[in-house]
């Protein structure tokens, strides 16, 4: 029984500290080291607030290593955390997020946030089915995802090392931290898995109305029994692109004609390039064969807006071939077909319902 309790304890340390450290703690970490890490995270002064002055994270915004390879500069930085929520615990998990102490929307560089639950589309009747966390093969990882857009990577780094992060994750005292860990054990199946991205080719609209925030966080009623209302719909396409094809893949998307901003219900789009150099507790070595290197992410006001776009002319124009008159070539040549794929295996779509939306007045 003691062994089970201690194992649970170590898992919980990973759960709550996913974004905090700059290096990953090995699985064989001893109890003494784990305890020291807890105390350090709960009581230590953040590096950004030491007596030596404010830490400078501007090096995080240096993209020379990317642009030298022909890759695009990022427009935003996107931080996600993927959770495996146990079956029947979705409403409790959402309530934990809704009732947490956070001042996210007041922080320097914050642009947009939502918590999203993965769903399967039932095209016959237009409904969705939530992907419950009862899979035995681990595929339930990511049935909930936190999604935050920052203006710059350096601003994300500053938040991760600051007081606001500790407040939101129960790290202001050892008691609060332990309470958060115990709650995590009852709701989550294993530690979360962070994933960080460079946001490319951003498109965003100014929201008609912004959900009310109190002191930087949403003020909603969450009882842990009923799921929070859906406030947006998110459509993603996962691309498995090798490093050799990355620059060509980005250029192909950069040259596409897009009319997304003209579509009713469109909120934001970004082609998200995986930041494989991201570090922290819970970050595992990146495997491009099992995880996508790019993720096209489109946020819609609701499912109806997404369906209207998918069934309309804008979708066909974006995904179809050009008419012969626009394809070039000599007279009498056969029309050019679709361009050759640049990915190692076919793209795969994934869909989410978003809740707890926070946004700046100008949008993402």
């Amino acid at each position: 029984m003691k062994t089970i309790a201690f194992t649970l304890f170590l898992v919980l340390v990973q759960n709550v500290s996913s974004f905090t450290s700059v290096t990953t703690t090995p699985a064989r970490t001893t109890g003494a080291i784990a305890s020291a890490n807890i105390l350090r995270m709960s009581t230590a002064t953040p590096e950004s607030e030491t007596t030596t002055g404010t830490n400078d994270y501007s090096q995080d915004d240096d993209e020379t290593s990317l642009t030298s390879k022909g890759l695009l500069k990022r427009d935003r930085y996107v931080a996600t955390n993927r959770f495996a929520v146990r079956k029947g615990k979705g409403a409790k998990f959402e309530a934990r997020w809704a009732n947490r102490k956070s001042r996210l929307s007041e922080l320097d560089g914050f642009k947009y946030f939502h918590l999203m639950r993965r769903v399967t589309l039932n095209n016959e009747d237009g409904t969705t089915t939530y992907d419950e966390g009862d899979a035995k093969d681990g595929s339930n990882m990511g049935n909930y995802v936190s999604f935050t857009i920052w203006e710059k990577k350096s601003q994300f780094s500053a938040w991760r090392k600051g007081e606001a992060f500790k407040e939101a994750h129960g790290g202001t005292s050892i008691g609060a931290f332990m309470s958060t860990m115990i709650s995590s054990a009852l709701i989550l199946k294993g530690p979360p898995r962070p994933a960080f991205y460079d946001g490319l080719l951003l498109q965003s609209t100014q929201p008609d109305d912004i959900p009310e925030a109190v002191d930087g966080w949403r003020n909603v009623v969450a009882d842990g029994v009923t799921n929070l209302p859906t406030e947006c719909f998110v459509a993603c396409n996962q691309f498995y692109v090798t490093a050799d094809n990355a620059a060509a893949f980005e250029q192909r998307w950069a040259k596409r004609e897009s009319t997304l901003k003209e579509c009713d219900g469109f909120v934001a789009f970004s082609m998200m390039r995986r930041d494989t150099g991201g570090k922290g507790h819970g970050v595992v070595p990146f495997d491009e064969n099992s995880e996508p290197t790019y993720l096209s992410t489109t946020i819609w006001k609701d499912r109806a807006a997404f369906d209207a776009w998918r069934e309309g002319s804008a979708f066909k124009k974006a995904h179809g071939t050009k008419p012969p008159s626009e394809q070039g070539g000599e007279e009498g040549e056969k029309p050019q077909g679709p361009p050759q794929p640049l990915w190692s295996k076919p793209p795969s779509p994934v869909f989410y319902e978003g809740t707890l939306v926070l946004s700046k007045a100008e949008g993402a």
Side-chain angles (χ1 to χ4, degrees), residues 72 201 203 247-258 269 317-318 322:
L72 299 175
L201 304 173
Q203 296 185 61
F249 178 79
E250 293 181 12
Q251 286 300 320
R252 182 175 293 179
W253 274 83
K255 293 175 182 178
R256 290 180 63 170
E257 182 180 352
S258 175
F269 167 86
K317 187 174 183 179
K322 294 182 179 181

Side-chain angles (χ1 to χ4, degrees), residues 35-100:
S35 299
N37 284 341
I38 293 175
L39 291 173
R40 174 177 55 79
M41 196 182 83
S42 301
T43 60
T45 301
E47 294 178 22
S48 58
E49 298 179 11
T50 58
T51 55
T52 58
T54 303
N55 242 9
D56 181 11
Y57 298 101
S58 59
Q59 68 274 11
D60 288 345
D61 298 326
D62 183 0
E63 301 180 70
T64 305
S65 62
L66 298 173
T67 56
S68 63
K69 301 174 185 177
L71 300 177
L72 299 175
K73 286 188 174 183
R74 71 174 75 95
D75 299 316
R76 296 286 188 268
Y77 194 72
V78 183
T80 73
N81 213 1
R82 300 164 293 175
F83 303 88
V85 176
R86 296 177 182 273
K87 185 176 182 179
K89 299 296 185 180
K92 288 186 178 296
F93 181 72
E94 293 174 14
R96 276 190 56 199
W97 276 84
N99 298 324
R100 73 193 308 191

Side-chain angles (χ1 to χ4, degrees), residues 314-362:
F315 175 87
K316 295 175 182 176
K317 187 174 183 179
H319 294 80
T321 58
K322 294 182 179 181
S325 61
E326 298 180 17
Q327 290 183 356
E330 297 297 328
E331 185 177 356
E333 285 186 346
K334 292 183 178 180
Q336 296 177 9
Q340 292 298 311
L342 295 170
W343 44 82
S344 57
K345 58 182 176 180
S348 56
V350 59
F351 305 99
Y352 302 90
E353 294 175 343
T355 190
L356 293 177
V357 171
L358 277 171
S359 177
K360 287 296 189 181
E362 64 275 14

Side-chain angles (χ1 to χ4, degrees), residues 115-316:
L115 178 69
M116 53 191 188
R117 49 189 175 241
R118 192 173 63 207
V119 295
T120 298
L121 305 188
N122 304 315
N123 293 319
E124 296 79 11
D125 57 8
T127 61
T128 57
T129 302
Y130 164 61
D131 292 350
E132 286 276 14
D134 55 356
K136 303 298 183 184
D137 59 0
S139 60
N140 56 324
M141 172 57 69
N143 60 358
Y144 272 86
V145 181
S146 63
F147 181 94
T148 312
I149 301 177
W150 296 88
E151 186 172 0
K152 297 179 180 180
K153 183 177 180 179
S154 59
Q155 293 163 330
F156 163 71
S157 298
W159 165 78
R160 187 171 59 170
K161 293 293 184 180
E163 285 293 330
F165 176 89
K166 291 203 300 179
E167 291 172 3
H169 292 79
T172 53
S173 69
I174 191 66
F177 183 68
M178 290 300 295
S179 175
T180 301
M181 290 201 305
I182 293 171
S183 178
S184 294
L186 300 175
I187 295 175
L188 300 180
K189 200 170 186 177
R193 287 286 179 261
F196 309 120
Y197 301 88
D198 297 324
L200 315 175
L201 304 173
L202 176 76
Q203 296 185 61
S204 177
T205 58
Q206 185 173 347
D208 295 329
D209 57 89
I210 300 174
E212 180 184 5
V214 177
D215 297 327
W217 190 242
R218 290 291 301 279
N219 183 23
V220 300
V221 176
D223 57 12
V225 177
T226 306
N227 287 102
L228 295 175
T230 301
E231 298 177 341
C232 66
F233 181 82
V234 186
C236 301
N237 215 2
Q238 302 174 107
F239 295 93
Y240 300 81
V241 181
T242 61
D244 292 343
N245 288 331
F249 178 79
E250 293 181 12
Q251 286 300 320
R252 182 175 293 179
W253 274 83
K255 293 175 182 178
R256 290 180 63 170
E257 182 180 352
S258 175
T259 57
L260 281 173
K261 281 191 172 184
E262 301 172 12
C263 298
D264 291 339
F266 170 75
V267 177
F269 167 86
S270 182
M271 173 56 73
M272 293 163 46
R273 175 179 63 208
R274 185 69 177 265
D275 179 5
T276 57
K279 298 179 180 179
H281 280 297
V283 176
V284 298
F286 180 74
D287 180 6
E288 66 179 21
N289 295 315
S290 61
E291 290 203 60
T293 47
Y294 289 86
L295 198 65
S296 67
T297 302
T298 311
I299 305 171
W300 298 91
K301 183 177 180 180
D302 49 34
R303 166 78 185 276
F306 166 73
D307 285 341
W309 166 78
R310 186 169 57 168
E311 296 165 5
S313 59
F315 175 87
K316 295 175 182 176

Side-chain angles (χ1 to χ4, degrees), residues 6-21 23-29 34 37-38 41 81-83 141 165 169 177 180-181 184-185 188-194 280-285:
F6 181 67
T7 301
L8 177 63
F9 173 76
L10 289 180
V11 169
L12 292 173
V13 171
Q14 279 189 293
N15 281 347
V16 186
S17 59
S18 294
F19 284 151
T20 56
S21 178
T23 56
T24 304
T25 304
R28 61 180 180 272
T29 303
N37 284 341
I38 293 175
M41 196 182 83
N81 213 1
R82 300 164 293 175
F83 303 88
M141 172 57 69
F165 176 89
H169 292 79
F177 183 68
T180 301
M181 290 201 305
S184 294
L188 300 180
K189 200 170 186 177
R193 287 286 179 261
H281 280 297
V283 176
V284 298

